[in-house]
């Protein structure tokens, strides 16, 4: 009897086909995330002992930064420090839900890893202060939780002001609290994050009111304070856990006795809070923002938020992947130079007499920029003063006249001569600062502050088109803060100095002249002037306007500027990148090395810059790892691969007013990065806090460019001791999140651009060895910053003498962040793991690629990347993937062949049966 042939099942074919499709998808994903996978599976050999040693040092530095960054805003009747000899004060009641869920950092690439953060209660215990555990349990049982999520692909920031309703506090709990301690500590938190939105100005969808913004008290918080006040504790202390200034007018109601601002304390900063409360550490931080009673009263707030060109709506997604509407946004920096204290300290000054309307000022400002209290008292005086060869030198003698050891901050401001109708000038501008060592009671120290006269020149964007140092009387002021004068000296300029094409400033490589005329506005913008506050203050600003055809056309025109150029030479000179280590940027040897690099290699180097610089085989350039971020090592898309210590938020570091401590942080952070095999860090973040509500303000330093610039310079100087390069970011004018990643158009005048927004970067580049910069999402005027030749070539490289590489930010929109336009302007490569082909291979395009390659290779050659050996040209995981592909394809081929053979046999058998054979 003939054996019956079984019909082959189609199910197995479908399954195998699906598996092949899945494998194809895996291959595509592996190509898109080549850098990330490589870093995850192919890290350099890590010295675990070195990693732990650097981590221990980092934790210590974090605690020290927080100790010096905490700002005491209020201390009525010497409420603090606590009496550590009294059980009723070493035991404290901690009110506020966020006491069990503090904000240690922020959300996004600038955030730190909070897995190992010291909890509030543990930090207080380290100083011998015991929190009421019954209250703690009450909050843990409340059922409240935050939706903040900083996982990959989700930059969700929960802006709900979580608080337990006072009706939930039962009488027994409150009575036990009264018996437990004479001290109540109210803990209030605010968070900020990178994403598509800034801090909310309308809380109606987040449990609040439409006329309530995020940085004022909620109704529940007010009720909590009232409840605590009604319990008649001997001491009520408020701790503000926010990297943003808050509206604190309620402190004048007498319900709070002492207030400490702690910002985002990072991994070990809660220990510092305990030390300050216990009196082991004397607070010495100073505010780096103006605390106005109404934070929306700043003129910049009139042009902040969702302003967009009508008819430009498009379907988009939030950072959380939810459907949303995007816009071609714009923002007018109509406030000009009057940002932060430059506005508040000038607004009520009589232009003729220089007198200040104190009543009006005090009605607007609660705590000035540079404000902070201490447990002791200091006396400052100008000990020595000179102006020689264009350098101003002021020596301040600081004496501790109190009875407690502590540190003090020295602040020197300049008041420049102002002519009504002339160049805009703020009444006071920070020119220099320093911090004393620890001074015992009766101890003194002389702190020297130096700066150049050319540093206080103003940019005349209307007439001269350059920096101008007007003739007249200059007053150099030793101040407690931006408002209170301690001592001063005057200097008279007999003649105006114009720093034009024929008379550059000594710190510039080429003259700083008009380069951003086209950025002043697509419409006539009235910029704020102290000559006419009422007439120039922006009012009733519409949130939409029409774009001209010329402006709209630029949004979709990605044609690179074409110039005549010779073709590049590709020739093997037998050189290796290692041969160029230590060579000057303009050494002729670079030309020979660059001739060895092929167009394909350059394209990959430029187009695959996400968290790495790529291998270049022709010159034996090694792979190097670059990671976020400003507050600690953060592997954004492979968090389990690297675990660094989390530093305080940037604003806390700035609040120390300690340049040396910034350098210590950089050195410690850099050593930790080197121990992990990391060559570059995306940070520090150093944009100006233009308003109090910028979502990313937590990672920025201040509203002031001088303190921002010197903090960043200290960080970079410290990193350089470990040959780790910093991408100082975001260059430039990235001051709001709303519409940012869609390429928001940013309009401003050149005086504000230079004096406010470029100044921190200028200080950093000119005062330390910066070799890497990150451009920003936004446009400067109507040109993406990465495609702005005036910004990246003329100013950064030309005027400031920067030698190094510029990377883009992460390209959410693949259109406007154009690689071809970027390399011609000075943006050398793209921060993407999914790859971006450089399609322009014209002679000019190849020459631009070669220049970009020079910038990248020069930076890498002078970094620790040359010391690491990650792997050969092809990482081993790729071999495994190739092997799996081959096995899968061969296996599938054999399967299909057999299946096809069986199918033919089956069909033949059926055919035979039907014919009765």
């Amino acid at each position: 009897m003939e054996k019956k042939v079984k019909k082959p099942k189609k199910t197995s074919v479908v399954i195998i086909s699906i598996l092949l499709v899945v494998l194809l998808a895996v291959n595509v994903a592996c190509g898109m995330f080549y850098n990330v996978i490589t870093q995850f599976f192919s890290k350099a050999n890590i010295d675990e002992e070195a990693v732990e040693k650097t981590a221990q040092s980092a934790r210590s530095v974090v605690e020290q930064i927080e100790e010096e960054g905490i700002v005491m805003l209020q201390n009525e009747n010497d409420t603090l420090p606590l009496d550590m000899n009294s059980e009723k004060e070493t035991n404290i009641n901690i009110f506020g839900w966020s006491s069990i869920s503090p904000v240690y950092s922020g959300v996004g690439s600038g955030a730190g890893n909070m897995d190992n953060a010291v909890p509030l209660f543990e930090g207080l215990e380290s100083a011998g202060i015991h929190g009421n555990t019954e209250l703690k349990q009450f909050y843990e049982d409340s059922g409240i939780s935050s939706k903040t999520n900083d996982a990959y692909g989700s930059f969700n920031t929960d802006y709900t002001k979580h608080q337990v309703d006072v009706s939930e506090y039962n009488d027994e709990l409150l009575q036990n609290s009264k018996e437990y301690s004479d001290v109540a500590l109210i803990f209030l938190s605010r968070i900020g994050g990178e994403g598509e939105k800034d801090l909310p100005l309308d809380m109606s969808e987040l449990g609040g009111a439409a006329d309530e913004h995020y940085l004022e008290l909620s109704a529940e918080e007010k009720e909590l304070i009232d409840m605590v006040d009604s319990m008649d504790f001997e001491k009520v202390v408020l701790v503000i856990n926010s990297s943003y200034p808050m509206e604190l007018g309620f402190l004048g109601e007498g319900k709070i006795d002492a207030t400490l601002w702690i910002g985002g304390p990072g991994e070990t900063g809660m220990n510092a809070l305990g030390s300050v409360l216990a009196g082991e550490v004397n607070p010495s931080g100073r505010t780096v923002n103006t605390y106005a009673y109404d934070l929306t009263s700043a003129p910049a707030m009139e042009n902040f938020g969702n302003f967009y060109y009508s008819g430009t709506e498009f379907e988009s997604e939030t950072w959380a992947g939810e459907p949303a509407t995007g816009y071609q946004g714009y923002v007018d920096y109509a406030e000009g130079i009057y940002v932060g204290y430059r506005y508040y300290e000038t607004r009520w000054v009589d232009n003729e007499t220089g007198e200040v309307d104190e009543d009006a000022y005090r009605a607007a400002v609660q705590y000035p920029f540079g404000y902070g209290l201490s447990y002791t008292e200091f006396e400052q005086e100008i000990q020595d003063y000179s102006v020689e060869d264009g350098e101003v030198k002021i020596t301040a003698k600081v004496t501790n006249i109190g009875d407690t050891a502590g540190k003090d901050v020295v602040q020197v401001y300049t008041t420049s001569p102002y002519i009504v109708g002339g160049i805009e000038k703020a009444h006071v501008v920070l020119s220099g600062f320093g911090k004393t060592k620890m001074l015992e009671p009766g101890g003194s120290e002389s702190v020297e502050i130096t700066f150049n006269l050319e540093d206080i020149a103003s940019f005349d964007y209307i007439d001269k088109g350059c920096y101008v140092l007007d003739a007249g009387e200059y007053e150099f002021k030793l101040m407690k803060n931006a408002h209170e004068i301690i001592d001063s000296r005057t200097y008279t300029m007999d003649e105006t100095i114009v720093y034009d094409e024929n008379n550059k400033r000594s710190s510039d490589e080429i003259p700083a002249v008009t380069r951003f005329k086209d950025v002043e506005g697509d419409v006539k913008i009235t910029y704020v002037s102290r000559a006419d506050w009422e007439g120039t203050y922006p009012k009733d600003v519409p949130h939409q306007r029409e774009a001209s055809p010329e402006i709209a056309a630029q949004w979709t025109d990605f044609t690179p500027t074409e110039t005549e150029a010779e073709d590049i030479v590709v020739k093997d000179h037998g050189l290796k990148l290692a041969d160029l280590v230590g060579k000057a940027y303009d050494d002729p040897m670079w030309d020979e090395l660059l001739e060895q690099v092929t167009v394909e290699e350059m394209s990959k180097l430029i187009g695959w810059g996400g968290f790495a610089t790529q291998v270049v085989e022709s010159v034996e350039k090694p792979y190097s790892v670059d990671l976020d971020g400003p507050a600690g090592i953060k592997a954004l898309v492979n968090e389990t691969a690297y675990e660094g210590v989390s530093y305080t938020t940037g604003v806390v570091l700035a609040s120390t007013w300690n340049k040396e401590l910034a350098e210590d942080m950089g050195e410690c952070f850099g050593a930790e990065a080197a121990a992990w095999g990391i060559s570059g860090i995306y940070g520090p973040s150093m944009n100006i806090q233009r308003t109090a509500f910028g979502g990313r303000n937590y990672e920025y330093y201040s509203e002031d460019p001088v303190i921002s610039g010197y903090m960043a310079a200290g960080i970079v100087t410290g990193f350089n001791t470990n040959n780790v390069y910093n991408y100082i970011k975001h260059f430039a004018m990235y001051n709001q999140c709303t519409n940012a990643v869609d390429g928001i158009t940013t309009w401003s005048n050149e005086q504000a651009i230079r004096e406010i927004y470029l100044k921190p970067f200028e200080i950093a580049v000119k005062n330390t060895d910066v070799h890497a910069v990150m451009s920003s999402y936004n446009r400067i005027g109507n040109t993406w910053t990465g495609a702005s030749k005036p910004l990246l070539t003329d100013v950064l490289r030309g005027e400031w003498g920067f030698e190094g590489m510029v990377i883009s930010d992460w390209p959410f929109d693949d259109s406007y962040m154009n690689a071809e336009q970027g390399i011609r302007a000075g943006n050398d490569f793209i921060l993407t793991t999914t790859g971006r082909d450089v399609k322009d291979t014209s002679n000019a395009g190849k020459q631009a690629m070669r220049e970009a390659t020079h910038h990248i290779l020069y930076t890498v050659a002078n970094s620790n990347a040359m010391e690491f050996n990650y792997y050969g040209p092809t990482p081993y995981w790729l071999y495994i993937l190739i092997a799996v592909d081959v096995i899968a394809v061969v296996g599938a081929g054999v399967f299909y062949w057999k299946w096809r053979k069986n199918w033919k046999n089956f069909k033949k058998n059926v055919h035979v049966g039907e014919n009765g054979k």
Side-chain angles (χ1 to χ4, degrees):
M1 183 177 179
E2 188 175 337
K3 185 177 180 182
K4 185 178 181 182
V5 179
K6 292 184 178 179
K7 181 179 181 181
K9 293 182 178 180
K10 292 184 179 181
T11 306
S12 56
V13 175
V14 172
I15 292 173
I16 295 297
S17 299
I18 291 173
L19 290 175
L20 285 175
V21 171
V22 170
L23 182 61
L24 177 62
V26 168
N27 276 266
V28 171
C30 287
M32 293 173 64
F33 296 99
Y34 175 90
N35 289 356
V36 177
I37 300 169
T38 295
Q39 289 175 14
F40 189 85
F41 287 109
S42 309
K43 292 189 296 184
N45 292 326
I46 294 173
D47 184 340
E48 298 291 349
E49 185 176 339
V51 166
E52 181 53 34
K53 183 177 179 180
T54 58
Q56 288 177 2
S57 298
R59 294 184 189 103
S60 177
V61 169
V62 171
E63 189 168 336
Q64 186 180 354
I65 293 170
E66 185 66 27
E67 287 176 353
E68 294 200 26
I70 288 176
V71 181
M72 185 160 65
L73 297 172
Q74 175 194 26
N75 195 25
E76 303 296 333
N77 302 315
D78 295 327
T79 295
L80 295 177
L82 300 174
D83 183 355
M84 299 305 290
N85 294 315
S86 168
E87 186 180 80
K88 282 288 191 174
E89 293 201 16
T90 56
N91 293 335
I92 66 172
N93 297 295
I94 306 176
F95 290 91
W97 175 83
S98 62
S99 63
I100 63 164
S101 183
V103 174
Y104 296 97
S105 186
V107 173
S109 58
N113 180 357
M114 291 299 116
D115 292 344
N116 301 313
V118 174
L120 170 62
F121 283 78
E122 185 178 317
L124 300 184
E125 284 286 349
S126 71
I129 300 171
H130 316 295
N132 183 341
T133 56
E134 187 180 7
L135 267 176
K136 180 172 179 285
Q137 190 64 50
F138 168 73
Y139 292 120
E140 289 175 346
D141 294 340
S142 66
I144 294 175
S145 63
S146 173
K147 296 178 182 177
T148 291
N149 186 351
D150 190 24
Y152 170 54
S154 175
F155 279 49
N156 291 338
T157 307
D158 187 348
Y159 287 121
T160 306
K161 302 173 187 177
H162 294 292
Q163 204 58 252
V164 180
D165 192 273
V166 295
S167 62
E168 300 294 320
Y169 294 80
N170 59 59
D171 292 341
E172 181 181 3
L173 176 65
L174 297 180
Q175 182 59 38
N176 290 346
S177 299
K178 278 289 295 178
E179 293 173 0
Y180 182 75
S181 173
D182 290 337
V183 179
L185 187 152
I186 301 173
F187 195 87
L188 300 181
S189 301
R190 294 292 188 270
I191 195 169
E194 176 182 4
E196 71 271 7
K197 295 180 181 178
D198 298 290
L199 304 192
L201 293 169
D202 178 346
M203 295 297 296
S204 59
E205 295 183 4
L206 294 163
D211 60 351
E212 173 193 338
H213 63 67
Y214 187 60
L215 296 177
E216 61 184 309
L217 291 183
S218 67
E220 292 78 11
E221 288 170 333
K222 292 175 183 177
E223 291 169 356
L224 174 66
I225 292 172
D226 288 342
M227 182 191 77
V228 172
D229 178 57
S230 70
M231 296 173 70
D232 294 324
F233 288 102
E234 293 292 324
K235 295 182 176 182
V236 178
V237 179
L238 173 66
V239 173
I240 301 171
N241 172 214
S242 167
S243 293
Y244 303 77
M246 289 181 62
E247 290 183 3
L248 302 175
F250 63 89
L251 295 182
E253 298 172 1
K255 299 173 184 177
I256 306 292
D257 300 310
T259 301
L260 295 176
W261 175 90
I262 67 169
E267 192 159 312
T268 56
M270 287 302 183
N271 293 334
L273 174 59
S275 298
V276 168
L277 289 170
E280 297 172 3
V281 169
N282 190 345
S284 60
R286 301 291 183 268
T287 58
V288 289
N289 305 93
T290 302
Y291 279 64
Y293 285 104
D294 177 5
L295 292 173
T296 68
S297 64
M301 287 300 300
E302 301 300 319
N303 286 280
F304 177 79
N306 187 21
F307 292 76
Y308 61 95
Y309 292 104
S310 58
T312 62
E313 297 88 345
F314 59 89
E315 293 305 310
S316 181
E317 287 186 349
T318 67
W319 289 38
E322 299 169 351
T325 300
Y327 303 92
Q328 177 53 56
Y330 69 87
V331 58
D332 297 337
Y333 286 23
E335 70 280 0
I337 65 166
Y338 297 106
V339 176
Y341 74 87
R342 283 170 167 77
Y343 168 70
Y344 290 104
E345 299 299 334
T346 310
R347 174 62 182 86
W348 293 279
V349 173
D350 185 293
N351 290 329
E352 300 297 329
T353 66
E355 296 294 319
V356 180
D357 183 340
E358 284 293 334
D359 290 339
Y361 175 85
R362 294 294 178 186
V365 177
Q366 185 172 14
Y367 299 118
F369 174 88
Y371 175 88
L373 302 177
S374 170
Y375 291 152
T376 190
E377 291 187 31
F378 294 96
E379 184 178 79
Q380 295 189 16
E381 60 179 335
I382 295 178
Q383 188 179 42
D384 195 17
Y385 159 76
S386 66
V387 181
E388 296 179 0
D389 298 324
E391 182 184 68
V392 181
K393 185 182 295 183
I394 295 176
T395 303
K397 182 180 179 181
V398 184
T399 304
N400 185 346
I401 60 174
D403 56 9
T404 303
K407 296 184 176 184
D408 199 16
V409 173
V410 175
Q411 305 175 44
V412 174
Y413 296 78
T414 297
T415 294
S416 299
Y418 171 67
I419 302 168
V420 175
I423 305 172
E424 294 299 328
K425 296 170 187 173
H427 180 60
V428 291
V429 173
L430 182 67
S431 295
F433 62 95
K435 196 164 191 175
T436 69
K437 63 185 179 184
M438 185 67 69
L439 297 179
E440 297 296 329
S444 296
E445 182 182 356
S446 296
V447 178
E448 185 177 277
I449 306 295
T450 62
F451 53 94
N452 295 321
L453 286 173
E454 65 182 31
D455 295 336
I456 60 174
S458 301
F459 196 90
D460 181 1
Y461 78 98
I462 294 176
D463 184 17
K464 303 291 190 212
C466 61
Y467 281 97
V468 175
L469 193 64
D470 277 328
E473 188 173 90
Y474 290 78
E475 191 172 5
F476 304 124
K477 300 175 177 178
L478 178 65
M479 303 182 74
K480 288 184 68 175
N481 50 63
H483 191 72
E484 299 177 83
I485 301 173
I486 299 171
D487 201 356
S488 68
R489 297 290 185 272
T490 58
Y491 176 78
T492 302
M493 286 286 300
D494 295 326
E495 296 181 355
T496 295
I497 300 177
V498 179
Y499 298 101
D500 58 13
E501 292 91 339
N502 302 311
N503 182 37
K504 73 177 184 66
R505 296 181 300 172
S506 63
S507 64
D508 288 329
E509 297 295 321
I510 62 173
V513 295
T514 296
R515 305 196 191 277
F516 301 105
K517 189 69 178 174
D518 64 328
V519 180
E520 285 181 28
D522 61 326
V523 296
K524 176 65 176 176
I525 298 174
T526 299
Y527 288 98
V528 172
S529 173
R530 63 185 288 187
D532 181 12
W533 293 112
E534 293 300 325
T536 59
Y537 192 96
K539 302 182 183 73
D540 302 320
V541 181
H543 280 242
Q544 294 184 52
R545 67 171 175 246
E546 296 287 335
S548 69
E550 294 78 16
I551 291 295
Q554 292 179 29
W555 300 333
T556 55
D557 182 4
F558 306 118
T559 306
T561 302
E562 198 56 63
T563 56
E564 291 187 10
E566 295 181 358
D567 197 1
I568 63 171
V569 174
V570 180
K571 184 178 180 181
D572 186 1
H573 296 282
L575 292 174
K576 302 175 183 177
L577 185 58
D579 297 328
L580 276 293
V581 173
K583 297 288 185 181
Y585 175 80
D586 55 0
D587 191 294
M589 204 171 177
W590 280 106
D591 293 332
E592 294 186 1
L593 180 88
L594 290 167
E595 286 184 352
Q596 295 181 202
V597 185
T598 67
V599 172
E600 291 75 17
E601 287 176 318
M602 291 192 295
S603 181
K604 185 175 182 182
L605 189 65
I606 293 164
W608 291 79
F611 309 109
T613 66
Q614 297 300 317
V615 170
V616 181
E617 296 181 47
S618 61
V619 295
E620 297 187 15
K621 178 213 168 286
Y623 181 92
S624 66
V625 173
D626 300 339
L627 295 178
D628 288 307
I633 296 168
K634 183 179 179 66
L636 187 64
V637 291
N638 55 337
E639 295 186 7
T640 59
Y642 301 86
E643 293 188 18
V645 170
S646 176
Y647 287 83
T648 67
T649 51
V651 68
V652 175
L653 176 65
S655 298
T656 69
W657 292 67
N658 190 331
K659 300 175 190 175
E660 290 75 22
L661 191 51
E663 191 171 328
D664 289 345
M665 173 182 162
E667 185 172 353
C668 206
F669 191 171
E672 190 182 8
W676 278 102
I678 298 165
S679 298
I681 289 291
Y682 297 148
S685 299
M686 49 192 295
N687 295 90
I688 292 299
Q689 298 176 5
R690 177 176 171 251
T691 72
F693 296 87
R696 300 189 73 167
N697 281 5
Y698 76 92
E699 57 183 293
Y700 300 160
Y701 291 121
S702 172
E703 65 186 31
D704 176 73
V706 173
I707 196 167
S708 299
Y710 281 108
M711 286 295 121
I715 292 289
V716 175
T717 299
F719 265 91
N720 285 341
T721 62
N722 295 282
N723 291 326
V724 178
Y725 48 83
N726 296 89
Y727 294 89
I728 61 174
K729 65 178 191 178
H730 309 83
F731 193 57
M733 303 183 76
Y734 182 14
N735 307 105
Q736 72 174 52
C737 291
T738 304
N739 295 329
V741 299
D742 294 319
I744 188 171
T745 296
T746 310
W747 304 108
S748 182
N749 66 54
E750 189 151 355
Q751 182 183 12
I753 291 171
R754 286 183 176 272
E755 293 184 23
I756 307 296
Y757 302 103
L758 300 192
K759 180 64 74 175
F761 297 93
E762 179 181 5
I763 290 170
V765 170
K766 289 182 175 180
N767 285 275
T768 191
D769 199 13
V770 175
H771 280 307
V773 171
M774 181 185 291
S775 60
S776 51
Y777 284 121
N778 56 285
R779 291 175 165 92
I780 181 166
N782 208 33
T783 303
W784 170 47
T785 57
S788 173
K789 186 175 180 291
L791 181 69
L792 300 182
T793 297
D794 299 340
V795 172
L796 178 64
R797 292 188 166 94
E799 294 179 16
W800 303 347
F802 170 77
E803 294 178 342
M805 60 187 181
V806 177
I807 194 171
S808 73
D809 209 328
W810 183 280
F812 283 91
D813 185 329
D814 283 351
S815 58
Y816 80 93
M817 298 173 74
N818 183 274
E820 283 83 5
Q821 289 180 324
I823 56 177
R824 282 170 166 76
N827 193 104
D828 302 306
F829 59 137
I830 306 296
L831 200 169
T832 177
T833 59
T834 57
R836 183 76 66 83
D837 291 332
V838 182
K839 300 173 183 176
D840 178 21
T841 55
S842 66
N843 290 350
K846 286 186 281 188
Q847 291 289 0
M849 292 171 73
R850 178 155 284 179
E851 186 66 15
T853 300
H854 183 190
H855 297 154
I856 299 169
L857 295 187
Y858 173 76
T859 303
V860 173
N862 292 284
S863 74
N864 66 10
M866 303 303 291
E867 305 167 16
F868 299 135
N869 182 20
Y870 276 77
Y871 39 75
T874 306
Y876 72 82
W877 69 265
L878 196 52
Y879 286 126
I880 296 173
L881 180 62
I882 291 171
V884 171
D885 288 345
V886 170
I887 293 170
V889 171
V890 171
V894 171
F895 168 79
Y896 286 130
W897 178 78
K898 287 186 175 181
W899 187 90
R900 182 66 177 169
K901 183 178 178 182
N902 291 338
W903 179 256
K904 285 182 177 180
N905 288 336
F906 170 74
K907 291 287 288 182
K908 182 179 179 181
N909 183 266
V910 170
H911 179 70
V912 170
E914 288 174 350
N915 288 280
K917 296 179 180 176

